[in-house]
Amino acid sequence: MTNRLLIVDDEKEFGAFVAKVALSAGFKVKLTSRPQEFEAVAAEWNPTLVALDLQMPEMDGIELLRHLAANHSSARILIMSGVDGRVLDAAKRVGVERGLDIAGTITKPVRAKDLKAMLDGLKIQAPDRLDENALAQAIANGDLFLQYQPKVSLRDGALHGAEALVRWRHAAQGLVPPDQFIPLAEASGLIDDLSRTVFTQAIIQQRKWAEQGIDLQVAINLSPLNLHRESLADDIADLCHEHTVPTERTTIEITETAAMDNALQALDTLTRLRLKGFKLSIDDFGTGFSSLTRLQRLPVTEIKVDQSFVRECLVSRDAFAIVKTVIDLARNMGLTSVAEGIETNEHYQVVAELGCDLGQGYGIAKPMMADSLGLWWKGWRGAT
Ligand code: C2E
Ligand code: CA
Ligand code: CA
């Protein structure tokens, strides 16, 4: 468990002073004076405490408070300023009314000793556990949110879609990756609730992008257990209709192991999803033990070569052979092939030359907040 302090101040010296005191109090510290950087760090680093200067010529402190509130920040907030007490109090009220946890105010200048005492009092003490109750709370409170990783066409670099990847914004632990709580959700019966918030957020976001003229195929990950719920296909389809998102523009990703689930209900759900128009993708292909007969019987539209093979394909002949075989298999079966784990230009070139349709990976873009996608896309010129 770490205490993470984000300092926003345009006065470099004062910011550095607060940073130094906070480091001595045991905080990890990030310091910024730019609004865009602030927004990115607040979202991705998930600070436990934000120290915010109200008076900055190029930034509006109240605006930043509004941003934190809109993003459901769980950080405690310290408002700092040299302005008089009444302005500080008014700003504090604005924050509280927006549902923020305003922990206090600091009038500049402040003595190191007093600041340290204040910061010590604002540390989160007990590490909150990632247990079933906490996860149920997080789902109910809207603390789960999605980041999106672009999928691009390997033929011409065009933006094809984005995969929604869930994260947990946890007050004490920061941003918790899905590997740390999906198994918990599966074991505790929370996975249906979890997936519901995931596909609801994803489809609402897809609608927002469409309104901005960004037409994307959005991919959603489902757990094998979700397939056992009889109403699943109807639930997702209803949501698409409600938000006027064509079902054809949504891809459901299930892992190879899940797709090979022999239960009749799983096959039933997959078939109904296809009948309703959804695209179906087999994720992490090559890690399970699928039989080709079974693959042929499944109503899938896309195969994702597991990223471990893609990452290794430059150095391992076996990995290269697997990547090539899966791409060929997809082509021969009339399915879309996707290479995940493209970390460098070399990976990109290799899979593109093998005729893979789509690519995804850190070398193209890391998962990002929905709002950042438009900006990333403007800067993306395809692999060189
Ligand atoms: P996945 O579906 O195979 O998603 C790809 C994972 O690989 C993501 O990790 C992504 O950030 C990471 N990744 C992408 N490109 C690269 C790369 O170039 N290099 C490396 N090293 N990694 C890369 P993330 O977001 O931590 O997700 C992990 C897994 O958690 C996902 O694997 C998926 O199985 C599961 N997951 C994520 N979101 C959901 C969800 O909403 N529902 C369910 N049921 N599972 C989810
Ligand atoms: Ca996936
Ligand atoms: Ca995968």
Side-chain angles (χ1 to χ4, degrees):
M1 212 261 333
T2 53
N3 280 282
R4 298 172 301 280
L5 169 65
L6 171 60
I7 305 167
V8 197
D9 203 320
D10 63 315
E11 277 177 62
K12 294 246 155 57
E13 267 172 39
F14 189 75
F17 162 71
V18 177
K20 197 173 152 207
V21 175
L23 285 170
S24 76
F27 280 82
K28 283 194 174 167
V29 178
K30 290 200 180 183
L31 175 59
T32 179
S33 57
R34 288 186 323 210
Q36 270 204 343
E37 189 178 36
F38 165 79
E39 289 178 11
V41 175
E44 279 152 32
W45 193 54
N46 197 30
T48 55
L49 183 64
V50 173
L52 183 81
D53 184 13
L54 268 193
Q55 250 182 338
M56 295 173 287
E58 293 179 9
M59 247 194 302
D60 176 345
I62 299 290
E63 187 78 18
L64 297 187
L65 287 178
R66 191 183 316 143
H67 179 86
L68 287 171
N71 285 285
H72 309 284
S73 170
S74 57
R76 312 180 89 183
I77 294 159
L78 261 183
I79 301 179
M80 314 182 287
S81 187
V83 295
D84 72 81
R86 248 182 304 161
V87 180
L88 270 179
D89 281 343
K92 189 172 162 183
R93 270 202 307 281
V94 170
V96 171
E97 271 165 32
R98 291 194 183 281
L100 293 171
D101 182 356
I102 307 287
T105 53
I106 295 180
T107 317
K108 292 182 185 179
V110 61
R111 287 189 309 173
K113 199 170 110 226
D114 298 338
L115 181 61
K116 169 125 182 348
M118 193 159 201
L119 292 173
D120 277 333
L122 291 172
K123 283 205 286 196
I124 294 171
Q125 299 301 347
D128 288 344
R129 292 223 337 255
L130 296 180
D131 60 14
E132 186 180 334
N133 289 337
L135 181 57
Q137 271 296 317
I139 296 173
N141 293 348
D143 293 339
L144 299 192
F145 71 100
L146 300 176
Q147 287 190 327
Y148 295 86
Q149 188 177 33
K151 277 177 164 175
V152 302
S153 160
L154 291 172
R155 248 176 295 277
D156 55 9
L159 178 59
H160 168 86
E163 175 176 5
L165 296 159
V166 69
R167 278 97 183 77
W168 179 354
R169 187 176 283 126
H170 190 279
Q173 313 234 356
L175 225 56
V176 185
D179 293 337
Q180 287 184 32
F181 61 88
I182 297 286
L184 174 63
E186 290 176 333
S188 61
L190 287 166
I191 191 67
D192 280 335
D193 288 346
L194 185 148
S195 291
R196 169 168 288 281
T197 110
V198 166
F199 61 70
T200 306
Q201 291 184 40
I203 285 163
I204 291 174
Q205 182 57 49
Q206 190 167 11
R207 176 75 209 152
K208 277 194 201 154
W209 276 323
E211 282 164 5
Q212 295 162 16
I214 308 175
D215 181 26
L216 290 179
Q217 185 76 25
V218 171
I220 300 166
N221 292 283
L222 287 184
S223 150
L225 296 179
N226 293 134
L227 301 179
H228 291 265
R229 191 186 186 86
E230 225 168 277
S231 64
L232 181 85
D234 293 313
D235 292 348
I236 310 184
D238 288 349
L239 210 82
C240 283
H241 296 145
E242 190 186 324
H243 296 283
T244 53
V245 167
T247 51
E248 294 75 21
R249 300 301 282 150
T250 305
T251 300
I252 307 292
E253 294 192 5
I254 41 160
T255 58
E256 181 185 15
T257 332
M260 297 304 143
D261 184 338
N262 265 315
L264 196 56
Q265 183 59 52
L267 183 61
D268 179 300
T269 303
L270 291 175
T271 310
R272 292 186 67 225
L273 283 166
R274 267 306 285 144
L275 284 172
K276 288 177 185 297
F278 293 104
K279 301 268 163 62
L280 277 186
S281 175
I282 300 199
D283 206 349
D284 304 346
F285 193 81
T287 56
F289 299 94
S290 46
S291 79
L292 294 178
T293 322
R294 176 117 181 119
L295 177 65
Q296 190 227 339
R297 287 194 192 138
L298 281 174
V300 298
T301 55
E302 177 182 284
I303 297 182
K304 291 182 95 167
V305 191
D306 188 66
Q307 50 175 291
S308 58
F309 304 118
V310 176
R311 288 208 304 264
E312 290 288 302
C313 78
L314 300 176
V315 291
S316 151
R317 246 199 298 174
D318 289 349
F320 177 84
I322 292 173
V323 173
K324 180 173 177 347
T325 305
V326 177
I327 294 170
D328 289 345
L329 178 71
R331 185 186 314 110
N332 295 335
M333 291 178 76
L335 306 175
T336 305
S337 50
V338 186
E340 278 195 292
I342 296 185
E343 292 192 341
T344 63
N345 274 345
E346 290 77 56
H347 291 117
Y348 191 106
Q349 298 305 345
V350 167
V351 291
E353 270 161 32
L354 288 174
C356 190
D357 298 308
L358 301 174
Q360 184 182 347
Y362 292 174
I364 298 166
K366 289 197 168 174
M368 62 183 88
M369 300 302 284
D371 290 346
S372 307
L373 199 123
L375 200 63
W376 166 80
W377 177 234
K378 273 190 202 142
W380 165 253
R381 294 274 171 274
T384 47

